[in-house]
Amino acid sequence: MGVVRMEQRWAAAWLCVAVLGVALLGGGARGFEEGTAVYIVTMKQAPVFHKRLDLERFGSSRVAGGGGGGDTPSTSILTKPSHNPAQPMNYGPYLVRLQNSLLKRTLQGEHYIKLYSYRYLINGFAVVITPQQAEKLSRRKEVSNVMLDFSVRTATTHTPEFLGLPQGAWVQEGGPQCAGQGVVVGLIDTGVDPTHPSFADDLTTDSYPVPAHYSGICEVTNDFPSGSCNRKLVGARHFAASAITRGVFNASQDHASPSDSDGHGTHTASIAAGNHGIPVVVAGHHFGDASGMAPRAHIAVYKALYKSFGGFAADVVAAIDQAAEDNVDIISLSITPNRRPPGLATFFNPIDMALLSAVKAGIFVVQAAGNTGPSSKSMSSYSPWIFTVGASAHDREYTNYVLLGNNLTITGVGLAPGTDGDSMYTLIAAPHALKDNAASPTEMSLGECQDSSHLDEELIKGKILVCSYSIRFVLGLSSVKQALNTAKNVSAAGIVFYLDPFVIGFQLNPTPMNMPGLIIPSSDDSKVFLNYYNESLVRDETSNKITSFGAVAKILGGLKPNYGFSAPKVMFYSARGPDPEDNSLSNADILKPNLIAPGSSIWGAWSSFGLDSAEFAGESFAMISGTSMAAPHVAGLAALIKQKFPYFSPAAIGSALSTTTTLSDRQGNPIMAQRTYSNPNSTQSPATPFDMGNGFVNATAALDPGLIFDCSYDDFFSFLCGINGSAPVVMNYTGSNCGGASAMTGADLNLPSITIAVLRQLRTVTRTVTNVASDETYTVSYSAPYGAAVSASPTRFFIPSGQRQQVTFVVNATMNSTSASFGSVGFYGDKGHRVLIPFSVISKVVYSS
């Protein structure tokens, strides 16, 4: 009954928003006219959450219709805002009335369309206006900031075992049937397929209530009907006003509902908190059972990204604002800006500012680092209050092989069976198997095996069909599925794709095939394969026509995984630090990414409508790669920490994850990082903190971190005030004045890392640790970055449970250098706790006397 009531509330609420969006404002809505754009406007009046903190701190006398907000109490390690606080009466509707009044008075008689009212984390709105109207609004004293909307884009059966969850973290939480229960993970993505068994709530008969603190609702549409939400999938909404107004929304593909027509959102949701023990069956083959990282946690979906175009900041901010108002515990964003906002906007943009308020509300925020690696300064998520995750490989690989008649074996990718027995089969390329008078063999679709009507079945029957894998596959113009259909239609015994030399920089994931087959993912190996094939052809000396096909091969199947020991390693596409925008390095004293997690070849649930990967269309699971897959791994693991330590601040959760990481692969060697797009495994070198952050996530150790580096909203506020020229912008976004704040650099933030962008002779930094375990004595050891000398005080201390200890580090440059160098600091407890943080110095300057 609870779900039904929430759905009815949503139907009325959505109708109200629709009326506001297209009828209320100006002289009536007239669509996205020429010369107009979407702007995000923030106002100086405090939003609902900030006003709520005022109410808790000062009492109801401060909370009336007006007031500015001012400074508010910060969230610390053991004081999360109450899930059921006293609410400022009617304050949210009051803000909406103020916004509408401002628009009406400023743009009287002019046309505009208000798309959203933001009121919980930020007070503002998204509106379609001209640049001239934006200028008018920016001059109003009630307005703090006007910014042009910008676009964003999207950036497991075995990873629980690889991360040690079944014998480690899950055991501590009571097993997979309990791991994460009571914690709500909010995912801002492309929606969800509510019919997928990964999100069912009837797999067990025990009590599994919707968490009392969650207040979200379930939107009801034709393709997201009543009953789509349950005790597992506790809420779902969609946000598309900016996209619809721009005219880029394709209703036939994108679905104006929480339904996932892409597949990406269903995949990430299942990685974070999908049910445990769901069979993975793809192309008729069984690949094990799937589980999310926190299989008993609850999922709330906020759809703001779409198949056709990605998304826009105005819609994403609305999703963040709603997720926070609904009281989610964790927000996971597998999205990045298409272009990182430059200058001050690196930090001061609507998405990052909304997430800062979310952190102030006690919500842990995790974001994908982006797929723009391997070059340095390619990071997309840089703000210190956001937990940024890079992508690594794990130890499971699906590989199959083609064994050639000359005894050469070539590795391929393909979730496919092998050819029968030990027999060798003749190889025949599609352009060499055309019917008489067929189309030109130079036509690309023929070489790609996309059309069987021109092929000679009698010639191909029982042979292995050879096809080209060109850039058209990457663009979605050709597909492996269509080639498989072609091979079946002409009775081929198997299929081999060789890589066109123009396809570089793309990682080819294992692709499901319902017949023997593989794709050769290396251009070099493809050349070897083609040389053997061509040299084995027998041609008529006079006509040069092929008289027989001499090349033979057999395919060894790839349905069973191989497990190696060189994992984890940083994937070539994973974005790297340091600061991507600021060449002066003045604000680059922050380590990014925070850590790495599995992101390569990840099994996850797939939407029945999913179109993002043509090779998995119609399947219920898909294997895809990206930092998009790494972020929800960490979101799910954060849910386990939240379950064990419900009052940990976001910074405390991040610290627990960061200081307990692994720095070596399964063989005990240093974690490696791929350095190039082409042949990435041949260009590996040891990973640095700018590749992997603190290291590879260790879920079990994170549940017993020993010491925590806590960092509050007030600290982040001081950091923002320390950015040169930021004071007016800080006031505009936060409503608080930098005048009374003690400005600090990123190096001064109490982060579980130390990064000094420019070390001019001498620098002193401090870190404060809090003991969240029993009384313990710690020894501090450290290794200095090259070209710097480091000393620490104290190097040994006793710290009672719940108490804090400050440690001071003095860093001295001993040589001039503009290349980054790295060291580390370790806190070793006499009861077994090990707390490690990286120490990075980018540039060192020694002044001559």
Side-chain angles (χ1 to χ4, degrees):
M1 288 299 293
V3 172
V4 173
R5 284 198 299 271
M6 288 192 292
E7 289 166 343
Q8 290 169 340
R9 275 175 46 209
W10 168 251
W14 180 243
L15 177 61
C16 179
V17 170
V19 170
L20 278 175
V22 301
L24 164 64
L25 297 163
R30 291 166 54 177
F32 203 69
E33 299 177 359
E34 186 176 352
T36 62
V38 177
Y39 287 83
I40 300 173
V41 180
T42 51
M43 299 179 65
K44 294 178 180 177
Q45 195 90 8
V48 171
F49 174 70
H50 292 199
K51 186 62 66 176
R52 194 183 83 189
L53 289 183
D54 269 359
L55 177 64
E56 294 174 355
R57 182 177 180 182
F58 299 110
S60 59
S61 62
R62 279 282 301 272
V63 184
D71 295 332
T72 54
S74 61
T75 303
S76 70
I77 191 171
L78 297 177
T79 56
K80 183 183 185 298
S82 169
H83 277 313
N84 296 294
Q87 294 290 340
M89 293 298 293
N90 299 318
Y91 185 64
Y94 166 75
L95 292 182
V96 176
R97 291 195 301 271
L98 279 185
Q99 296 166 10
N100 294 340
S101 175
L102 170 71
L103 279 165
K104 187 174 182 180
R105 286 182 284 112
T106 307
L107 306 178
Q108 187 173 9
E110 301 179 26
H111 296 291
Y112 57 90
I113 307 173
K114 184 184 181 189
L115 303 179
Y116 292 111
S117 284
Y118 309 128
R119 60 184 194 176
Y120 190 73
L121 293 177
I122 61 174
N123 172 18
F125 51 88
V127 62
V128 181
I129 50 178
T130 66
Q132 294 76 22
Q133 290 172 316
E135 174 64 22
K136 284 185 181 180
L137 284 170
S138 69
R139 292 198 300 263
R140 297 290 305 202
K141 63 179 181 180
E142 304 97 320
V143 171
S144 61
N145 194 62
V146 178
M147 186 172 185
L148 191 65
D149 192 14
F150 56 89
S151 57
V152 298
R153 60 187 173 190
T154 56
T156 66
T157 57
H158 175 65
T159 45
E161 286 75 15
F162 182 54
L163 294 171
L165 298 179
Q167 295 77 38
W170 284 351
V171 172
Q172 296 187 35
E173 303 286 9
Q177 68 274 16
C178 299
Q181 183 163 334
V183 179
V184 180
V185 181
L187 292 110
I188 298 173
D189 214 298
T190 66
V192 69
D193 181 353
T195 67
H196 199 284
S198 289
F199 313 120
D201 70 346
D202 57 357
L203 301 183
T204 60
T205 58
D206 59 331
S207 175
Y208 185 43
V210 175
H213 67 270
Y214 182 71
S215 59
I217 57 178
C218 194
E219 179 183 345
V220 175
T221 65
N222 288 337
D223 56 3
F224 207 83
S226 176
S228 293
C229 291
N230 54 32
R231 296 174 297 165
K232 178 70 172 179
L233 179 60
V234 294
R237 303 189 190 215
H238 91 285
F239 303 85
S242 181
I244 291 171
T245 306
R246 293 167 181 268
V248 300
F249 191 90
N250 184 340
S252 64
Q253 275 193 25
D254 296 318
H255 297 188
S257 77
S259 180
D260 183 12
S261 61
D262 182 275
H264 190 273
T266 298
H267 199 269
T268 57
S270 70
I271 292 171
N275 285 324
H276 178 71
I278 306 302
V280 179
V281 179
V282 174
H285 310 302
H286 183 224
F287 293 99
D289 294 339
S291 175
M293 299 301 101
R296 197 65 167 172
H298 308 266
I299 295 168
V301 168
Y302 300 86
K303 179 179 175 180
L305 294 160
Y306 297 84
K307 168 64 181 172
S308 297
F309 54 87
F312 296 96
D315 297 326
V316 172
V317 171
I320 295 169
D321 198 57
Q322 190 61 62
E325 186 169 4
D326 292 345
N327 276 321
V328 302
D329 298 291
I330 294 161
I331 290 178
S332 179
L333 302 99
S334 287
I335 62 173
T336 57
N338 280 328
R339 183 181 67 85
R340 187 69 184 169
L344 288 176
T346 295
F347 305 105
F348 296 102
N349 65 80
I351 292 179
D352 286 42
M353 287 292 100
L355 293 174
L356 175 60
S357 280
V359 168
K360 186 175 185 178
I363 299 169
F364 181 72
V365 175
V366 57
Q367 185 175 13
N371 299 334
T372 48
S375 61
S376 63
K377 300 186 179 183
S378 54
M379 189 62 52
S380 297
S381 171
Y382 198 71
S383 294
W385 50 89
I386 300 171
F387 198 85
T388 307
V389 185
S392 77
H394 55 90
D395 65 342
R396 181 196 61 203
E397 293 182 335
Y398 289 91
T399 54
N400 52 357
Y401 307 89
V402 55
L403 176 61
L404 304 180
N406 60 2
N407 288 323
L408 284 177
T409 299
I410 295 177
T411 303
V413 293
L415 301 170
T419 48
D420 291 337
D422 291 327
S423 299
M424 302 294 280
Y425 295 79
T426 300
L427 295 169
I428 183 166
H432 297 158
L434 301 178
K435 294 177 180 177
D436 291 339
N437 302 317
S440 167
T442 60
E443 189 174 317
M444 288 190 71
S445 62
L446 294 177
E448 296 164 358
C449 304
Q450 297 299 291
D451 185 356
S452 62
S453 64
H454 298 298
L455 299 179
D456 187 338
E457 180 178 353
E458 290 302 315
L459 188 58
I460 299 173
K461 185 176 181 179
K463 299 180 178 68
I464 294 176
L465 183 62
V466 177
C467 312
S468 167
Y469 190 100
S470 77
I471 192 67
R472 289 162 53 88
F473 285 80
V474 177
L475 299 175
L477 302 175
S478 297
S479 75
V480 170
K481 280 202 170 186
Q482 185 57 42
L484 291 170
N485 289 335
T486 294
K488 282 186 172 294
N489 290 339
V490 296
S491 303
I495 189 168
V496 171
F497 296 87
Y498 65 87
L499 195 66
D500 185 285
F502 292 102
V503 182
I504 58 174
F506 294 95
Q507 180 179 4
L508 298 181
N509 290 321
T511 300
M513 301 183 190
N514 52 15
M515 68 184 300
L518 82 165
I519 305 171
I520 301 173
S522 161
S523 57
D524 291 340
D525 286 346
S526 294
K527 290 177 184 176
V528 171
F529 174 83
L530 287 175
N531 285 340
Y532 166 69
Y533 173 81
N534 289 322
E535 290 171 359
S536 301
L537 295 173
V538 179
R539 295 179 181 271
D540 181 271
E541 292 183 4
T542 303
S543 65
N544 201 38
K545 288 185 177 180
I546 298 172
T547 58
S548 67
F549 300 90
V552 294
K554 66 178 178 179
I555 297 171
L556 306 178
L559 295 177
K560 293 184 178 180
N562 301 312
Y563 296 94
F565 296 96
S566 61
K569 60 185 171 187
V570 184
M571 300 307 295
F572 65 89
Y573 54 79
S574 187
R576 316 293 167 93
D579 185 349
E581 290 290 346
D582 188 358
N583 289 326
S584 72
L585 299 176
S586 60
N587 302 313
D589 299 322
I590 301 164
L591 179 64
K592 290 289 178 173
N594 293 84
L595 50 69
I596 55 173
S600 179
S601 299
I602 305 299
W603 279 119
W606 199 243
S607 171
S608 55
F609 301 110
L611 300 173
D612 186 47
S613 176
E615 317 312 341
F616 290 96
E619 303 288 355
S620 59
F621 280 87
M623 177 185 285
I624 53 179
S625 299
T627 57
S628 282
M629 285 63 253
H633 274 90
V634 172
L637 299 177
L640 302 181
I641 298 173
K642 188 73 175 177
Q643 183 184 22
K644 182 174 181 180
F645 301 102
Y647 298 108
F648 262 22
S649 70
I653 294 174
S655 176
L657 289 163
S658 297
T659 61
T660 55
T661 55
T662 300
L663 297 175
S664 57
D665 64 19
R666 301 298 287 271
Q667 289 180 308
N669 298 318
I671 292 175
M672 304 295 281
Q674 297 176 337
R675 299 297 178 190
T676 60
Y677 277 92
S678 59
N679 299 316
N681 282 331
S682 64
T683 59
Q684 297 179 149
S685 62
T688 74
F690 291 149
D691 301 317
M692 65 175 179
N694 283 54
F696 181 74
V697 67
N698 183 332
T700 301
L703 290 176
D704 185 22
L707 301 177
I708 287 295
F709 297 77
D710 198 19
C711 205
S712 71
Y713 169 84
D714 291 342
D715 297 324
F716 296 131
F717 178 82
S718 296
F719 160 73
L720 292 174
C721 288
I723 298 173
N724 187 37
S726 68
V729 190
V730 173
M731 181 66 186
N732 287 346
Y733 270 112
T734 68
S736 297
N737 196 317
C738 284
S742 55
M744 64 170 65
T745 69
D748 298 318
L749 287 170
N750 197 44
L751 301 175
S753 60
I754 299 174
T755 301
I756 301 174
V758 181
L759 175 60
R760 292 184 174 89
Q761 195 72 42
L762 190 69
R763 181 72 181 272
T764 299
V765 294
T766 61
R767 289 294 183 267
T768 301
V769 294
T770 304
N771 187 4
V772 294
S774 58
D775 300 354
E776 196 161 2
T777 298
Y778 281 87
T779 301
V780 182
S781 65
Y782 49 87
S783 62
Y786 179 71
V790 176
S791 63
S793 178
T795 56
R796 183 178 175 85
F797 59 86
F798 170 77
I799 182 168
S801 177
Q803 297 302 303
R804 298 181 179 183
Q805 172 68 48
Q806 187 178 89
V807 180
T808 301
F809 299 92
V810 178
V811 193
N812 189 32
T814 59
M815 62 178 291
N816 293 315
S817 174
T818 57
S819 60
S821 54
F822 307 97
S824 63
V825 177
F827 298 77
Y828 298 92
D830 61 358
K831 294 184 178 178
H833 289 107
R834 186 193 66 151
V835 180
L836 299 178
I837 65 172
F839 201 138
S840 310
V841 178
I842 302 174
S843 177
K844 297 168 283 289
V845 181
V846 178
Y847 294 111
S848 57
S849 55

